[in-house]
Amino acid sequence: MSRPGFLLSAWPWRSAAYLLTGAVTGAAALVGIVTAAAVCGALAVVLVGLPLLVVVALGGIPVAVVERSRLRLIDRDPVSGRHRVPAAPGLWAWLTTRLREQATWRELGYALLFAGLLWPVDALAVTVALFVPLSLVATPLLLATVGGGHEAKVLKQWTVTTWPTAFGVAVLGLLLLGLGAYVLGVAAGARAGLTRLLIASREGELGARVVELARSRVRLVDAFEAERRRIERDLHDGAQQRLVALTMALGLARLDAPPGPLAERLTTAHEEAGKALAELRELIHGIHPKILTDYGLQAAVGDAADRCVIPVDVDLELPGRPTMAVESAAYFVVCEALANVARHSGADRARVSGGHRDGRLFLEVRDDGRGGADASKGTGLTGLADRVSVLDGRLALTSPPGGPTLLHVEFPCELTGAADRSA
C-alpha cells in the first residue's frame, strides 16, 4: 500500500472482492448454522437432534476451507490447514479423529465469530469505502437518467438540481474512492491476518518455516563455497602469478650479479620469495584446492593423504561426483580428521575409505592411535559436526581409550558426471 502505484493496481479491487465475498459467505454461514442449530433443537425432544449436533460441531471445517480459498485474493502465502489422517478407515474413525483434534474446534470458533460478527464488518467496510463513493460518482448519471435532468438524490438524503453541483459531487466521490481504496486495503489486510491467525495450521506453519530454514542454510552454504572458489581463483591467477614472476626475476638477477654483498642479498630475497610462494600455495590449497574442482573428491582425498605426515591408506571409489557443496564439505571433513589424527592421536597409520550407496555418500577415517577423542574438549569435532549437519548429513565418532578411533560421515546426495554437474 505504500507504493505509488497502489491505486492503479489490482489490489484495491482484490481487497474489495475479498471483503464482499466475506460478507456473502458470512451471511450464508450464519443462515446455515442457525438453521442447523434450530433443527437439532427441535429434534432434540425425540433424541434425534443430539447426534445431529456433531454436524454443527463439524461446520467449521467447510467454512475454513472456503476462507483459505478466499485468502488467495490478497495473501501471497498459502495457508495450510491440514487435519490429522485417521488411524483406521471408516466414518467412525474419521469422526472421532476430527472431534479430538484442536483444529476442528478452532475452525468452529472461527465460523461462529465469522457468522456473528466479522461478516457485518466486511459489509460495512465495503459499503463505506466503495459503494458510497461510487454513488457520489454516479450523481451526474442519475441526474441525466432517473432525474430527467432536473434533480437527483444523493445517497437518498440530499437533492441535487444543477449540473455543476452534480459534477462537484462526482469529483468528491472520486477523491473518496481513492481514500476508500486504502481503507479497503487496511480492512482486508486486518481481516486476512485475523483469519490466518485463527485457522492456519500451527504444524503446517512450523513445517513451512523449517523447510525455509533448511533451504536458506543450503543457499548460505552454496554462497560460501562459491566465495571460497572465487578467492582461491583470484589468489591463484593473481597474487601467485606475481610471486612466481618476482621469484624468477630475483633468480635471474642473482645469477647476473657479481659475487659480493649484493649477490648475498639477492640470494636471501630469492629464498624469502620462494618461502612466500610456498606459503601462498598452502593457503590457496586450504581455501579450496584446485585438484578438488578439476578432478573431484577421490583425487583430492588421495592428495590430502599424500600430504599427511603419517602414512594414510585410501580406499575410496565413486562412480560419479556429488554436488559441489557436499564434495567440498566431505573433503574438508577428511582433511580436518587427518589433521586431528596427526596432531593428537599418536597413530602410526590411518585409513580413509568410503563410497556411495542407497543415495548416500559415506566416508570413514580410521587410525590406530591412543583414542579417547572427546568433542567437548575442543571445537574441531564440533566444527566437523556443524559442517556435516548443514547439509543434512550425519557424523558418528567412536574413540574408546586405547583406540582405535573411527570417524563415520554420511551425506544424502546423488552422484552425477562431471559434465552433468557443470551444466
Side-chain angles (χ1 to χ4, degrees), residues 108-194:
L108 175 61
Y110 173 79
L112 296 176
L113 181 64
F114 183 35
L117 179 62
L118 295 181
W119 76 266
V121 175
D122 295 346
L124 179 62
V126 173
T127 301
V128 172
L130 183 62
F131 291 155
V132 170
L134 287 179
S135 299
L136 297 179
V137 172
T139 300
L141 181 61
L142 294 177
L143 182 61
T145 56
V146 179
H150 299 290
E151 66 176 11
K153 286 285 187 178
V154 179
L155 301 177
K156 296 184 179 181
Q157 297 293 327
W158 302 280
T159 302
V160 175
T161 58
T162 61
W163 287 104
T165 305
F167 283 109
V169 172
V171 172
L172 177 62
L174 288 175
L175 296 177
L176 293 178
L177 189 61
L179 180 62
Y182 288 96
V183 174
L184 290 173
V186 171
R191 278 283 289 109
L194 179 62

Side-chain angles (χ1 to χ4, degrees), residues 48 58 101 107 110 144 214 253 298 323 340 344 373:
V48 178
L58 299 176
E101 61 183 355
E107 291 172 353
Y110 173 79
Q298 188 171 343
T323 61
N340 290 337
H344 308 298

Side-chain angles (χ1 to χ4, degrees), residues 204-376:
E205 293 289 336
L206 181 59
R209 291 182 181 181
V210 170
V211 170
E212 179 57 29
L213 178 60
R215 291 176 178 173
S216 65
R217 289 200 311 172
V218 172
R219 289 194 296 267
L220 287 175
V221 170
D222 291 340
F224 178 67
E225 292 300 330
E227 186 66 14
R228 290 172 67 105
R229 289 192 296 271
R230 185 192 66 79
I231 295 174
E232 180 270 334
R233 185 174 59 252
D234 292 345
L235 290 175
H236 183 274
D237 298 338
Q240 180 175 260
Q241 300 304 319
R242 290 183 179 274
L243 273 178
V244 170
L246 175 61
T247 305
M248 293 177 63
L250 289 174
L252 293 175
R254 173 188 174 186
L255 294 176
D256 295 339
L262 179 59
E264 294 178 359
R265 293 180 180 178
L266 287 175
T267 300
T268 302
H270 183 259
E271 292 175 354
E272 292 297 326
K275 293 178 181 178
L277 180 59
E279 291 180 359
L280 180 61
R281 285 173 175 167
E282 287 295 326
L283 176 63
I284 294 173
H285 193 276
I287 293 175
H288 193 88
K290 190 171 179 61
I291 188 174
L292 179 64
T293 303
D294 295 342
Y295 300 103
L297 180 62
Q298 188 171 343
V301 169
D303 178 70
D306 293 339
R307 298 161 66 90
C308 189
V309 296
I310 65 172
V312 179
D313 300 324
V314 178
D315 182 16
L316 178 61
E317 293 292 336
L318 296 176
R321 297 187 63 176
T323 61
M324 294 181 181
V326 171
E327 191 174 67
S328 179
Y331 171 76
F332 284 107
V333 165
V334 171
C335 289
E336 183 68 22
L338 291 179
N340 290 337
V341 170
R343 286 196 299 262
H344 308 298
S345 70
D348 296 324
R349 199 169 194 88
R351 177 182 176 85
V352 179
S353 60
H356 183 273
R357 64 171 178 265
D358 299 330
R360 302 185 73 86
L361 170 69
F362 64 94
L363 297 168
E364 290 185 350
V365 181
R366 181 190 297 269
D367 67 77
D368 57 359
R370 67 177 65 96
D374 187 0
S376 63

Side-chain angles (χ1 to χ4, degrees), residues 31-46 48-50 52-53 56:
V31 172
I33 292 175
V34 171
T35 302
V39 171
C40 292
L43 296 178
V45 180
V46 292
V48 178
L50 295 179
L52 294 180
L53 287 175
V56 179

